[in-house]
Amino acid sequence: MSAPAATLSVRIGEVERTLPTIRTGNLGRVPLVEFIGDPEFTNAAAQAMLALIPEGTEILLTVVTNALPLTHELSDRSGLPYVCARKKRRTYMRGPMIQDVPSLSLGVAETLWLDGPHAARLAGKRVAIVQDVIVSGGTAQALAKFVVQAGGTVSGYLAAFSRGESAVRVSALHALPVSV
Amino acid sequence: MTTHTVHVGRVTRDLPIVPVAPGVSVALFNMLGDTDVTEEAGRELAKLLPPEIDVLVTPEVKALSLAHVISRESGKPYVVIRKTQKPYMVNPIAREVVSITTGKPQLLVLDGFDVPKIRGHKVAIVDDVVSSGGTLHSLRQIIEEVGGEVAAVLAVFTEGDERPEVTALGHLPLYT
């Protein structure tokens, strides 16, 4: 079977983008969402995601890298602060928390690091997990473990896009197909 | 804990002084998770951006949201140089650099897809802190190799040595 041009168009507010697709081992072609380098798309998504923030949320938690400008805009527009987990240990971290993510899409386990002083900002707070795209929910679950470990509670999971069946209940602007 | 007080536009922060290598401490400026500082610094630096600049180039991760805000405020696009090579990159260009906050050699990678945004254009490098200048040197090499011209360097802070070629909002001491 010959495949047609493998792209996918999405629209958020007034902004439309054609998503490129990349070939992965076991899924065929999957759509690639890029907020980095695209302030217009980032801002449109952040504006639309304001409505997805669960009531009572006091702080946002995200992870580097693709969701970072998105979470910054969401934070600035909502007035809610945010905390960001890293994928590498940094020498300046003080008492970091560590969580492993069993990644299905890449077939490689990832480790997330949350610097101690940043984790302390989640204590006693209702925390919304923010990602650009939630697929299996493995990363979202690892972030949720940080929240619990830090003494906070998870108010919900939000993402610009979901793709496939996630292990967590996600509020997303759009559901992307598992493969194109 | 000892701290160092800084002002970024209208906001003030007490930066913790933390060791990053034997005998070396820095006043740790981390904009990740600090929306107010990022907005304030981005808006101030956007005002200082020379009008002839075509594109901003920033290394991931800590300066990423800063570049986003400067881009949003100035209308100039931004390109991110990554620290790992991604499977979807087209003809990536890579350089190794030793950073003071990591102490280890790290990779800087430009996706070939982004090369046309830099080639033949005037580039402003955007970073959070310019310290030893190692990252800056490697960024400059990559940009020039693909035919871009580094016409400005913007940072929130310089650190250690004064750097007249860097447009910064302030200066941080290096504790040795």
Side-chain angles (χ1 to χ4, degrees):
Chain A
M1 193 178 80
S2 69
T7 58
L8 186 74
S9 282
V10 292
R11 186 183 184 85
I12 300 176
E14 298 296 305
V15 182
E16 193 166 345
R17 289 290 180 270
T18 301
L19 306 182
T21 61
I22 54 166
R23 186 171 293 286
T24 64
N26 52 351
L27 283 175
R29 301 195 74 88
V30 301
L32 187 67
V33 177
E34 188 76 283
F35 285 111
I36 288 176
D38 193 344
E40 198 188 9
F41 195 40
T42 302
N43 295 345
Q47 188 61 35
M49 284 171 73
L50 283 175
L52 305 183
I53 299 175
E55 212 180 317
T57 297
E58 295 167 283
I59 189 165
L60 312 172
L61 174 63
T62 192
V63 59
V64 294
T65 303
N66 292 322
L68 197 49
L70 178 67
T71 307
H72 169 84
E73 277 297 332
L74 194 58
S75 166
D76 191 46
R77 285 157 195 256
S78 65
L80 298 173
Y82 79 97
V83 166
C84 183
R86 306 291 298 263
K87 291 184 182 174
K88 282 185 189 141
R89 187 189 182 115
R90 297 284 139 191
T91 49
Y92 52 74
M93 286 181 172
R94 287 163 285 159
M97 291 181 180
I98 305 159
Q99 288 292 340
D100 285 327
V101 184
S103 173
L104 298 175
S105 52
L106 299 172
V108 197
E110 258 183 347
T111 303
L112 305 187
W113 300 79
L114 184 63
D115 199 359
H118 292 189
R121 295 174 60 201
L122 305 177
K125 294 282 171 28
R126 279 165 294 189
V127 185
I129 310 286
V130 180
Q131 293 182 256
D132 52 342
V133 184
I134 292 186
V135 185
S136 68
T139 302
Q141 286 178 314
L143 292 170
K145 286 180 188 164
F146 278 144
V147 174
V148 173
Q149 208 182 338
T153 52
V154 175
S155 65
Y157 301 86
L158 51 152
F161 298 96
S162 62
R163 187 162 63 78
E165 285 295 313
S166 163
V168 298
R169 181 187 288 271
V170 185
S171 295
L173 300 174
H174 285 289
L176 295 173
V178 173
S179 64
V180 180
Chain B
M1 187 173 55
T2 345
T3 58
H4 177 74
T5 303
V6 294
H7 304 279
V8 178
R10 294 164 297 183
V11 298
T12 301
R13 292 288 181 269
D14 293 321
L15 309 182
I17 296 170
V18 300
V20 291
V24 184
S25 295
V26 298
L28 185 65
F29 177 66
N30 189 349
M31 308 174 82
L32 276 183
D34 196 332
T35 308
D36 290 344
V37 161
T38 305
E39 281 291 318
E40 201 68 11
R43 287 163 191 267
E44 291 295 317
L45 285 172
K47 290 182 207 160
L48 301 176
L49 189 67
E52 70 271 19
I53 295 295
D54 300 308
V55 61
L56 314 170
V57 171
T58 194
E60 68 173 348
V61 176
K62 297 216 305 296
L64 177 52
S65 294
L66 176 70
H68 164 82
V69 173
I70 299 174
S71 171
R72 190 195 68 206
E73 293 296 309
S74 65
K76 315 275 186 184
Y78 75 99
V79 167
V80 177
I81 294 191
R82 310 297 300 257
K83 293 195 171 158
T84 50
Q85 196 163 316
K86 309 290 175 192
Y88 53 80
M89 287 180 170
V90 186
N91 300 326
I93 294 156
R95 281 284 172 278
E96 221 171 51
V97 59
V98 176
S99 158
I100 189 166
T101 50
T102 59
K104 287 184 290 191
Q106 63 186 19
L107 207 59
L108 295 175
V109 189
L110 174 65
D111 190 345
F113 177 79
D114 288 324
V115 167
K117 301 173 190 169
I118 295 175
R119 178 174 293 145
H121 290 108
K122 289 192 189 315
V123 175
I125 294 174
V126 173
D127 208 348
D128 54 347
V129 178
V130 174
S131 187
S132 67
T135 304
L136 189 58
H137 179 73
S138 299
L139 288 171
R140 199 185 280 275
Q141 273 194 334
I142 291 180
I143 291 164
E144 288 171 358
E145 183 175 326
V146 302
E149 180 199 339
V150 178
V153 180
L154 270 61
V156 186
F157 294 108
T158 49
E159 182 178 62
D161 296 332
E162 300 280 351
R163 293 185 167 270
E165 80 277 21
V166 179
T167 302
L169 301 178
H171 183 75
L172 299 174
L174 197 58
Y175 302 84
T176 53

